[in-house]
Amino acid sequence: MRGRLDSIDWAILKELQADGSITNVELARRVGLSAPPCLRRVRALESAGIIKAYRAMLDPKGLGFEIVCFAMVQLDVQGKKELKEFEDLIKGWSMVRECWTLSGDIDFIMKCVAPNLAAFQGLVSELTSLPNVRNVRTALTLDLIKDDPLVPIEDVPEVTA
């Protein structure tokens, strides 16, 4: 699909990634289209799976989640069955907000939030007691330096209507 995106599609993606709550009318104005064709393009990008979802970015501390941390997990056995069992279990843990599989010494890295240090310690305790978990290393965050969306969309050339 990437090769079939034109400059207007890229402009739409850039605007929506910056502000998913923008109205279609404002989005159309910013990318140089009228509203109906703009909406058709957005729907096509959604149908193609390029736009996966829309979310509001919330402030964890403002909502009582004082701790943001990363947990790096190494398993004893990395067979398909064992990996799937771990993944399925972690998907149900609400404090785990992101979980990525990695190559190398660490099998999983998880971004977690907790309301306080005691809850964080409970999470670590649960992780370390899981069957097949060999090692858990954690790192508490201090300050967020950069929080850009996942896809680095370069500056899109001006679209001429």
Side-chain angles (χ1 to χ4, degrees):
M1 177 75 184
R2 180 184 167 94
R4 292 185 286 169
L5 299 178
D6 65 15
S7 62
I8 294 174
D9 292 324
W10 282 105
I12 288 170
L13 293 172
K14 182 178 179 183
E15 293 295 335
L16 286 174
Q17 188 170 245
D19 181 4
S21 68
I22 189 172
T23 67
N24 183 59
V25 171
E26 178 59 18
L27 177 61
R29 186 192 67 73
R30 289 185 189 180
V31 301
L33 291 176
S34 62
C38 183
L39 185 58
R40 280 193 295 275
R41 282 177 178 255
V42 170
R43 295 294 182 245
L45 292 165
E46 291 169 349
S47 294
I50 300 294
I51 297 174
K52 292 172 52 174
Y54 298 91
R55 295 182 178 169
M57 299 297 291
L58 307 178
D59 175 23
K61 288 186 179 185
L63 295 169
F65 291 90
E66 296 294 323
I67 306 290
V68 177
C69 63
F70 289 90
M72 290 135 296
V73 178
Q74 186 179 35
L75 301 180
D76 278 326
V77 179
Q78 294 88 9
K80 271 187 176 180
K81 176 182 174 267
E82 290 81 9
L83 291 171
K84 175 120 174 61
E85 286 172 355
F86 184 82
E87 291 167 10
D88 289 345
L89 183 65
I90 292 305
K91 286 176 184 176
W93 289 15
S94 63
M95 284 195 282
V96 176
R97 304 314 302 162
E98 292 182 33
C99 182
W100 295 78
T101 56
L102 301 177
S103 63
D105 293 341
I106 302 299
D107 296 309
F108 295 92
I109 187 166
M110 299 179 292
K111 182 179 180 181
C112 309
V113 297
N116 52 47
L117 199 51
F120 165 70
Q121 289 169 323
L123 173 72
V124 172
S125 182
E126 275 190 80
L127 263 175
T128 57
S129 69
L130 289 176
N132 196 33
V133 170
R134 176 187 301 167
N135 185 23
V136 176
R137 293 192 332 233
T138 60
L140 291 171
T141 63
L142 300 176
D143 280 320
L144 178 64
I145 304 304
K146 185 175 180 179
D147 189 21
D148 282 348
L150 189 58
V151 179
I153 297 177
E154 299 302 322
D155 288 333
V156 177
E158 282 297 314
V159 178
T160 53

